[in-house]
Amino acid sequence: MQRTDLHLSMLAADGCPPVRWRISEGLVPYEEAVAEMERQVAAIADGTADELVWLVEHPPLYTAGTSADSADLIQPDRFPVFATGRGGEYTYHGPGQRVAYVMLDLKRRRQDVRAYVAALEEVVIRTLDSMNVRGERREDRVGVWVRRPEKPLLADGTMAEDKIAALGIRLRRWVSFHGLSINVDPDLDHFSGIVPCGISAYGVTSLVDLGLPVMMTDVDMRLRDAFAEVFGETANDNQG
């Protein structure tokens, strides 16, 4: 069964508390983010903490997923590089990019990794749709893509496409962590130090690059609404 055929509804089970929603101000160092995710995932798995979505921005850095090919790290000395346990290959994080770390207990929901990835993609697609941007899935490429008819055709004669959102997840005891990133207004040149997600035939874009001068706070509100439609109710977290 293909991802687009999967049932996307991942609403919380009856009696499941709202997902905590946390937004951190400023740039969060990557090591601190990973340590906090580790702590939260353990608590969620143990039943001592509710699920959490944590929105952050990072200083410029590259991360290497479990499938990363060293040949795709074009400029290894440009920014710090972090090996990470999430799936996928090399990706970039930096200012102007909204990173959402999604920590959900799939035992309470649906123990189906492919359905979970499709649901995360759906959150991004609905977020973009609320800003009149058509984001699309590709069966052979994880993430969310936008068509660029104003650009030259690709070498095979097909329409150019750019990636606007990346996904990379990890599960521990069926609790998810890592998550997704949406390019709001990052420095797109920073992506040139890697082959993003191991895909060289396509480019990278952002909401501002597409002509939408949106603020991060506006994207955050739309992301929260889309998340609630797919995964269920949220409540403000008392940290951030």
Side-chain angles (χ1 to χ4, degrees):
M1 183 180 294
Q2 295 180 331
R3 287 205 313 275
T4 50
D5 296 328
L6 293 168
H7 179 55
L8 296 178
S9 177
M10 302 277 291
L11 297 180
D14 292 341
C16 197
V19 177
R20 292 176 292 149
W21 194 268
R22 179 190 300 181
I23 303 176
S24 288
E25 301 295 333
L27 300 180
V28 178
Y30 188 74
E31 304 97 318
E32 292 183 15
V34 171
E36 174 65 0
M37 277 194 289
E38 295 275 358
R39 187 178 73 82
Q40 292 289 338
V41 165
I44 293 167
D46 290 339
T48 59
D50 294 332
E51 298 169 306
L52 173 67
V53 174
W54 182 23
L55 305 187
V56 305
E57 288 179 82
H58 288 305
L61 59 93
Y62 299 129
T63 64
T66 54
S67 302
D69 182 341
S70 60
D72 290 338
L73 182 58
I74 300 169
Q75 298 176 352
D77 299 324
R78 186 170 186 180
F79 298 124
V81 181
F82 296 93
T84 179
R86 62 158 175 79
E89 302 184 50
Y90 282 102
T91 193
Y92 166 78
H93 294 315
Q97 182 191 70
R98 176 51 85 204
V99 177
Y101 290 127
V102 184
M103 290 159 267
L104 301 182
D105 187 351
L106 299 190
K107 295 191 303 294
R108 305 181 197 176
R109 296 170 176 273
R110 181 176 173 186
Q111 292 175 256
D112 186 326
V113 176
R114 295 175 69 207
Y116 175 61
V117 171
L120 288 179
E121 291 174 335
E122 184 67 16
V123 169
V124 175
I125 288 169
R126 294 186 186 199
T127 301
L128 298 176
D129 184 66
S130 71
M131 294 177 281
N132 297 313
V133 174
R134 181 178 178 181
E136 299 181 356
R137 295 179 179 85
R138 293 293 177 261
E139 294 301 331
D140 58 341
R141 295 178 254 134
V142 174
V144 178
W145 302 79
V146 293
R147 299 176 187 240
R148 304 301 301 271
E150 73 279 13
K151 288 189 171 184
L153 296 177
L154 299 178
D156 62 1
T158 59
M159 184 182 298
E161 297 181 350
D162 287 342
K163 192 171 194 175
I164 195 166
L167 279 77
I169 68 165
R170 186 177 181 183
L171 297 178
R172 180 175 297 154
R173 295 163 62 189
W174 281 104
V175 178
S176 66
F177 56 128
H178 298 280
L180 61 89
S181 61
I182 300 176
N183 296 331
V184 180
D185 188 21
D187 185 336
L188 295 179
D189 180 64
H190 288 179
F191 287 88
S192 65
I194 57 172
V195 178
C197 301
I199 301 172
S200 59
Y202 303 94
V204 179
T205 191
S206 68
L207 291 169
V208 171
D209 182 53
L210 293 174
L212 295 173
V214 295
M215 302 294 291
M216 189 71 75
T217 52
D218 185 43
V219 175
D220 289 347
M221 289 188 295
R222 295 169 186 272
L223 179 63
R224 185 170 185 172
D225 288 344
F227 179 90
E229 291 173 0
V230 176
F231 287 102
E233 186 179 357
T234 65
N236 290 337
D237 189 51
N238 58 8
Q239 300 182 48

